[in-house]
Amino acid sequence: MGRKIVIVGGVAGGASAAARIRRLDAAARIIMFERGEHVSFSNCCLPYHLSGAVENSDSLVMMSPDRFAKQYDIEARVQSEVTEIRLEEKKVTVHDLVSGDCYEEEYDKLILAPGANPIMPKSIKGIQQKHVFSVRNVTDIKALKQYIDAKGAKRAAVVGGGFIGLEVAENLKMAGLSVALIEGSSQIMAPFDYDMVQTLHKEMMDCGIELYLSSALTEVKENTIVIMRQNGEKMVDADVVVMSIGVTPETALAQKAGLAIGETGGILVNKNYQTSNPDIYAVGDAIQGYSRLLHRPGRLALAGPAQRQARTAANHICGGQGRNQGYIGSSCIRLFGRNAACTGLNEKTAKEAGIPFDFAYVIAPDKVGLMPDSNYMNFKLIFEVPTGRILGAQAIGKGNVDKRIDVIAAMITMGGTLEDLKELELCYSPVFGTAKDVVNQAALVGMNLLNGCYRQVPVTAVRQLVESGACIIDVREEHEFQAGHLKGAKNIPLSQLRQRMDEIPVDVPVYLHCRTGQRSYNAICCLQGHGYKNLWNISGSFLGVSLYEYFNDKVQDRMPVVTEYNFK
């Protein structure tokens, strides 16, 4: 019998490490302890059981202990909680949650993959009631679904606007429940910038989700919850409550053993994912990671990084060398009829880190416009100034936003710049994309900004421009202008620009826009060629402004600056 490897926790980190060690070492004895009922399951698919998209909860379980034993010669012991690590003796104490017995298990190498715990603040009155749930594993989602079915619940409150919260809200709505989503900050989906996320706010509202932003849950009652807003308390009807306000790394076992904890609260690890004890490794949501873009410690609770960490730790245990390159943070989500994806830094994180940056915001078709399923995609590219190094991107649309963000993630990983992205050769067919893909277009816009070819103002500044009476020129055609326009804007279509140039002042700043930004850019080039200098392009143009203002007008109860919203 070879070395004895003990693993605490399964799922993405622990199970991946176990399988990798087995492939590298046929003689090792591998024991995996999981305190829950299932050692390997698809936690990212959990919310989709609520709507029936994943009809059978048993389908969420990827591997049973029996299959681990037969296929990989791995002992997977469920409902077994490791309660203590005895470093000097290289032993763990295990509590059998079924029998109640406790026993010891020796190890040569130990891997900690306990994951993270949902945050359930005790300060919220009534949070311990039976109709309040969190979603961490298959047992949780089965209990939530069974409660809804058994009680005939009709109204749900989801607390937290992150990935899990949105997926739970979407699937509960699809299951026929009325859903309210409560988020403490001014927006859902923190990885997205405020201007971009308005599209998702609109999607949720259009699909019937009651959206309460800048709102804090203070009390859970039998059929209602109490939330605190800027204008005071509000009661929201709720037969069932799902808490999804974030997670904290599960470090109790590591701390009890005296292992070092990092400044972010996660278990401290080196490049091989060894803890402060060289015979103990840690991977997954419980560890402190490293942001390769911000050059500082951080945490990222995603399955992809956990699997890569597990592979590196397994390789090192079996004699190889690890490579901890940190994370950049890539993710995606479907929300009703919209897809959203992002990677790297957004404006907020770049500002906080003191990184000089600018951004290109383009609205472009996701495939050739003649195709019946062609739709506009909102795409924002963040780049460093003056190097042009790509820092991040966000994309929202009905089509394949994920593949565009995957391209950017690859460029960031390879240290790519706007020049690299401009020249990137991608697949093209009218049914898949455009000859000049949206990522290439964003790079071209970024280079124009970086090189000073023209200047831009963000959609967030348009209201101030309108209310101050700034000179705004709308270069769309007359029928487009009549369908909806910025108040106070003057319509000079691009097709008439050269004949009506004398109507544009030269002694004040002039702000131009069209539907997506392309025609207004061409108008700026024309005017600059005729001596105009004080010109600004409105980033995102009319579509971007309309989407941004749509939500703000509703929640802030203010007069719109756009005469009519038309998103077709």
Side-chain angles (χ1 to χ4, degrees):
M1 182 66 68
R3 296 175 303 168
K4 189 174 183 179
I5 313 296
V6 168
I7 302 173
V8 180
V11 201
S16 295
R20 177 62 177 169
I21 292 170
R22 174 55 71 227
R23 289 193 293 272
L24 297 176
D25 187 346
R29 185 185 178 193
I30 305 171
I31 305 175
M32 185 163 43
F33 293 105
E34 169 59 50
R35 68 182 172 192
E37 295 181 81
H38 308 99
V39 70
S40 178
F41 56 89
S42 179
N43 50 358
C44 297
C45 289
L46 294 176
Y48 297 94
H49 178 53
L50 299 172
S51 64
V54 178
E55 186 174 354
N56 190 339
S57 62
D58 292 340
S59 301
L60 295 166
V61 180
M62 310 303 293
M63 289 283 288
S64 66
D66 185 58
R67 286 183 61 194
F68 265 113
K70 290 181 178 178
Q71 294 186 16
Y72 297 102
D73 189 24
I74 293 171
E75 298 177 49
R77 303 179 190 175
V78 297
Q79 295 183 285
S80 299
E81 181 179 13
V82 176
T83 59
E84 185 181 6
I85 304 170
R86 293 155 63 180
L87 302 180
E88 296 299 324
E89 302 172 59
K90 297 185 73 172
K91 291 180 180 180
V92 296
T93 302
V94 184
H95 178 205
D96 187 321
L97 299 177
V98 176
S99 68
D101 296 336
C102 291
Y103 61 94
E104 295 178 348
E105 199 73 64
E106 295 181 335
Y107 66 85
D108 292 305
K109 300 292 181 181
L110 176 66
I111 302 176
L112 302 179
N117 291 319
I119 297 174
M120 302 287 283
K122 294 181 180 179
S123 59
I124 298 174
K125 187 177 179 181
I127 197 172
Q128 301 299 329
Q129 294 185 68
K130 292 182 179 179
H131 66 295
V132 180
F133 296 85
S134 62
V135 176
R136 183 186 184 187
N137 52 41
V138 177
T139 302
D140 290 343
I141 206 69
K142 285 175 65 177
L144 173 57
K145 180 77 162 60
Q146 288 168 2
Y147 182 90
I148 291 171
D149 293 343
K151 299 293 184 179
K154 301 296 182 185
R155 301 161 300 181
V158 179
V159 185
F163 287 95
I164 297 298
L166 293 189
E167 289 168 349
V168 168
E170 177 194 36
N171 282 277
L172 287 174
K173 184 65 179 178
M174 293 174 69
L177 280 73
S178 297
V179 180
L181 188 133
I182 293 87
E183 166 58 43
S185 71
S186 61
Q187 69 170 78
I188 61 173
M189 296 300 293
F192 288 80
D193 284 321
Y194 188 72
D195 55 352
M196 287 289 287
V197 84
Q198 305 310 328
T199 305
L200 298 181
H201 288 161
K202 177 183 183 301
E203 186 70 14
M204 294 192 73
M205 295 169 67
D206 288 352
C207 292
I209 301 288
E210 297 175 46
L211 193 55
Y212 297 97
L213 300 181
S214 302
S215 303
L217 176 66
T218 59
E219 184 177 358
V220 179
K221 298 186 177 183
E222 186 175 351
N223 297 115
T224 58
I225 60 172
V226 181
I227 61 175
M228 179 60 69
R229 313 192 77 197
Q230 290 181 344
N231 55 356
E233 285 188 346
K234 180 177 178 60
M235 306 285 285
V236 178
D237 293 335
D239 304 320
V240 62
V241 179
V242 182
M243 297 297 298
S244 183
I245 61 175
V247 296
T248 56
E250 175 53 83
T251 60
L253 185 63
Q255 290 190 66
K256 185 178 178 181
L259 300 179
I261 303 298
E263 62 189 76
T264 66
I267 302 171
L268 193 65
V269 295
N270 65 12
K271 77 183 187 74
N272 299 307
Y273 297 96
Q274 289 171 295
T275 66
S276 52
N277 184 300
D279 290 321
I280 302 177
Y281 297 71
V283 299
D285 298 353
I287 73 167
Q288 174 171 283
Y290 180 77
S291 170
R292 64 185 297 170
L293 288 169
L294 297 176
H295 306 295
R296 66 188 186 202
R299 296 207 322 267
L300 185 68
L302 291 175
Q307 289 187 343
R308 292 193 296 275
Q309 295 158 12
R311 184 182 180 91
T312 298
N315 287 348
H316 190 257
I317 287 173
C318 295
Q321 279 299 312
R323 190 181 183 193
N324 184 347
Q325 297 190 81
Y327 62 84
I328 60 174
S330 302
S331 53
C332 59
I333 189 173
R334 184 203 69 191
L335 188 60
F336 297 105
R338 299 283 169 179
N339 302 317
C342 61
T343 189
L345 305 184
N346 57 22
E347 280 198 70
K348 180 180 179 181
T349 50
K351 285 177 183 176
E352 290 175 347
I355 300 174
F357 73 94
D358 203 345
F359 67 88
Y361 184 12
V362 300
I363 301 177
D366 54 16
K367 52 180 66 71
V368 172
L370 293 174
M371 295 296 104
D373 57 345
S374 174
N375 291 283
Y376 280 107
M377 179 184 299
N378 294 57
F379 190 91
K380 186 173 185 178
L381 182 69
I382 313 291
F383 57 90
E384 188 179 54
V385 175
T387 66
R389 181 171 64 102
I390 298 170
L391 300 174
Q394 303 153 51
I396 301 175
K398 293 184 177 181
N400 298 116
V401 300
D402 56 328
K403 79 171 185 177
R404 271 74 181 203
I405 294 301
D406 284 343
V407 167
I408 302 302
M411 297 297 290
I412 292 173
T413 302
M414 303 303 294
T417 65
L418 292 174
E419 184 71 36
D420 298 321
L421 184 57
K422 174 181 75 75
E423 293 296 327
L424 195 63
E425 184 176 337
L426 301 169
C427 294
Y428 163 63
S429 165
V431 298
F432 292 114
T434 55
K436 187 190 297 177
D437 192 80
V438 61
V439 299
N440 302 119
Q441 292 186 48
L444 292 168
V445 171
M447 290 188 66
N448 283 336
L449 292 169
L450 190 65
N451 295 330
C453 298
Y454 74 95
R455 295 172 293 180
Q456 68 176 2
V457 293
V459 294
T460 54
V462 172
R463 173 170 288 273
Q464 183 179 353
L465 295 178
V466 171
E467 293 176 345
S468 65
C471 180
I472 300 175
I473 305 297
D474 186 332
V475 301
R476 295 176 299 156
E477 294 303 310
E478 293 176 357
H479 71 278
E480 296 176 275
F481 183 82
Q482 294 301 323
H485 57 267
L486 293 175
K487 291 181 177 180
K490 183 179 181 65
N491 184 215
I492 303 179
L494 180 62
S495 59
Q496 302 174 22
L497 182 67
R498 287 167 176 80
Q499 292 74 41
R500 299 174 59 183
M501 211 173 293
D502 58 345
E503 299 178 35
I504 301 176
V506 296
D507 55 345
V508 298
V510 177
Y511 302 90
L512 296 95
H513 81 84
C514 60
R515 179 174 169 84
T516 64
Q518 186 178 43
R519 283 173 287 177
S520 54
Y521 165 65
N522 284 311
I524 285 177
C525 290
C526 173
L527 292 171
Q528 287 180 158
H530 286 81
Y532 285 79
K533 298 185 182 302
N534 204 353
L535 303 172
W536 301 79
N537 199 21
I538 295 178
S539 175
S541 281
F542 186 71
L543 271 179
V545 172
S546 297
L547 286 165
Y548 177 77
E549 291 294 335
Y550 173 94
F551 182 77
N552 283 331
D553 291 347
K554 283 196 172 187
V555 299
Q556 298 188 23
D557 191 27
R558 61 189 187 184
M559 295 298 292
V561 297
V562 181
T563 58
E564 182 179 338
Y565 295 109
N566 184 356
F567 302 105
K568 294 182 180 179

